[in-house]
């Protein structure tokens, strides 16, 4: 028992967070390139212009992945690097970069997993209305076609969108992320519908132009829930809560069901649909068919969860966290149970093989006097979380785990103030140092999690 023999141990990154070379080799601009330059958006005025300079250092980085024993690497393509205007003209230098990245991974025996969209909306498309424009569905399809044509001879695994909850919610509701807009609710629901359709269109294009049988998935996030006890009523309470939309309107995107039911079940969650229908554009059967274009695997980014019990009134309620509850440096709660209950509930509902496409934490990592980076908190966190994941692996079809992140990187509005990596990055020199957790993770991989 334990993890399947072919369980995939990997790590994840995204293009803007690591690549740098923001104005190089004909790359177009995307919404983040522009957003970071406007004062007040990013902690300490940081930008991703240079980031980890992975664009130039990717060969060295892949050597480090190999040394860590990674079996797979999940990265994203910067749409504007290969299609500077979002559609039309192809930038061959951008294609060459990803092509070489893929070849080098394969030479090192590391399986590439491509995410099409980790929030880098080409600025030219943003100026044409971006996600508000229904044409985005076809634009995203065109981009997916190009990716399939150029890379799918060597890459088999694809995820369409990363965390639509965040790029719609933080990008267009709270305005904390690019493009920093506080749009009316109605607009955000329209965008969400276009986003789901764009996903479906990308799946069609990947299948149609794929050069081999592709394995296609989706990588949303959303709040996980776990029961306070294993009593059936608490489990049921957590199950109801994980698929509900109990958040207030200004935070409506932060849920699982709105973003995954349409794709996996072919319809919006019924109760919520009735409640939000007034904000929705006209939805046709063809829309729903496109959105539900079959996928092969289900990815979920999971960082933490809420503890739920059945209240005396027969309604699920959240159990308040006790004073001094463990938290990571970014202040997120440490709730290992979410890696057991999350996959379990998701598998029950969606019946697709599951990958954890992201999980991890930020710590206040420093280089110690002995020149090493000791991160006992990360090891402790991982030991707890992966232990729970192992329980899940014994019950559901769990295919892989991607740690967020391979290396410290640009943490969006928080700039470089949060360190999520297994590898420490000194941004002054671009030196990389394995943290203790990287060695620890290497052993986990070697033993396929046997000791967890
Ligand atoms: C996310 C993003 C990552 C973040 C990570 C830590 O999917 O939210 O994929 O880009 O860096 O989650 O916040």
């Amino acid at each position: 028992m334990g993890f399947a023999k072919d369980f995939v141990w990997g790590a994840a990154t995204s293009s803007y967070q690591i690549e740098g070379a923001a104005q190089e080799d004909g790359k177009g601009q995307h919404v983040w390139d522009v957003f970071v330059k406007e004062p007040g958006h990013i902690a300490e005025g940081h930008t991703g212009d240079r980031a980890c300079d992975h664009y130039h250092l990717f060969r060295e980085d892949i050597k480090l992945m190999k040394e860590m024993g990674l079996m797979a690497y999940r990265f994203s393509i910067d749409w504007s690097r290969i299609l500077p205007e979002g559609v039309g003209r192809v930038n061959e230098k951008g294609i060459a970069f990803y092509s070489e990245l893929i070849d080098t991974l394969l030479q090192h025996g590391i399986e590439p997993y491509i995410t099409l969209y980790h929030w880098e909306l080409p600025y030219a498309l943003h100026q044409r209305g971006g996600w508000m424009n229904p044409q985005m569905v076809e634009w995203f399809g065109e981009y997916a076609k190009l990716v399939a044509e150029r890379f799918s001879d060597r890459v088999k695994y694809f995820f369409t969108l990363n965390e639509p909850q965040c790029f719609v919610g933080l990008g267009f509701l709270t305005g904390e992320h690019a493009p920093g807009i506080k749009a009316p609710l109605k607009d955000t629901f329209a965008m969400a519908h276009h986003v789901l359709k764009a996903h479906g269109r990308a799946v069609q294009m990947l299948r149609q132009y794929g050069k081999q049988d592709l394995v296609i998935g989706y990588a949303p996030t959303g709040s996980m829930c776990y029961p306070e006890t294993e009593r059936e009523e608490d489990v049921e309470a957590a199950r109801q809560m994980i698929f509900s939309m109990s958040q207030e309107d200004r935070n409506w995107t932060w849920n699982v069901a709105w973003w995954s039911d349409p794709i996996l079940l072919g319809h919006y969650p019924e109760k919520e649909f009735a409640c939000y229908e007034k904000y929705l554009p006209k939805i046709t059967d063809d829309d729903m068919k496109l959105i539900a274009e079959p996928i092969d695997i289900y990815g979920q980014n999971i960082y933490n969860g809420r503890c739920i019990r059945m209240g005396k009134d027969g309604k699920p309620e959240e159990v308040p966290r006790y004073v001094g509850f463990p938290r990571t440096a970014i202040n997120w709660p440490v709730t290992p149970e979410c890696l057991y209950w999350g996959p379990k509930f998701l598998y029950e509902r969606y019946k697709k093989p599951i990958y954890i496409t992201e999980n991890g934490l930020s710590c206040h990592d420093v280089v110690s006097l002995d020149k090493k980076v000791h991160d006992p908190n990360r090891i402790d966190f991982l030991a707890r979380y992966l232990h729970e994941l192992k329980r899940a692996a014994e019950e559901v079809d769990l295919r892989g785990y991607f740690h967020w992140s391979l290396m410290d990187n640009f943490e969006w509005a928080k700039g470089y103030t949060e360190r999520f990596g297994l590898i420490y990055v000194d941004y002054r020199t671009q030196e990389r140092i394995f943290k203790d957790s990287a060695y620890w993770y290497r052993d986990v991989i070697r033993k396929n999690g046997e000791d967890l």
Side-chain angles (χ1 to χ4, degrees), residues 154-168:
R154 290 154 290 160
V155 180
K156 189 175 173 66
Y157 297 90
F158 291 87
F159 295 104
T160 55
L161 306 167
N162 180 71
E163 301 194 351
Q165 289 88 349
C166 284
F167 70 79
V168 176

Side-chain angles (χ1 to χ4, degrees), residues 264-277:
L264 279 311
L265 306 179
H267 54 77
Y268 282 104
E270 276 151 37
K271 212 168 81 217
E272 286 74 15
F273 186 78
C275 163
Y276 289 113
E277 204 176 351

Side-chain angles (χ1 to χ4, degrees), residues 14 17 118-119 162-163 166 301 303 330 332 358 404 409 411-412 420:
S14 85
Q17 295 183 273
H118 203 122
W119 315 351
N162 180 71
E163 301 194 351
C166 284
N301 295 351
Y303 288 89
I330 202 172
W332 297 351
E358 286 179 27
W404 185 273
N409 59 47
E411 179 56 23
W412 309 113
F420 271 91

Side-chain angles (χ1 to χ4, degrees), residues 336-366:
E337 302 88 333
C338 65
L339 271 197
Y340 170 68
W341 292 100
K344 196 170 153 76
F345 288 144
L346 291 165
Y347 188 70
E348 241 176 47
R349 188 170 178 101
Y350 300 131
K351 303 182 174 58
K352 286 280 168 198
I354 294 186
Y355 280 82
I356 306 302
T357 31
E358 286 179 27
N359 165 252
L361 74 161
S362 74
C363 297
H364 291 149
D365 301 309
V366 294

Side-chain angles (χ1 to χ4, degrees), residues 10 15 27 102 107 124 135 182 188 262 293 302 315 404 411 419 430 448:
S15 50
K27 175 179 131 44
I102 292 163
Q107 280 156 19
Q135 277 183 279
K182 291 194 172 102
T188 61
E293 189 68 38
I302 301 182
K315 291 198 188 114
W404 185 273
E411 179 56 23
R419 293 185 175 273
Q430 292 297 343
N448 195 24

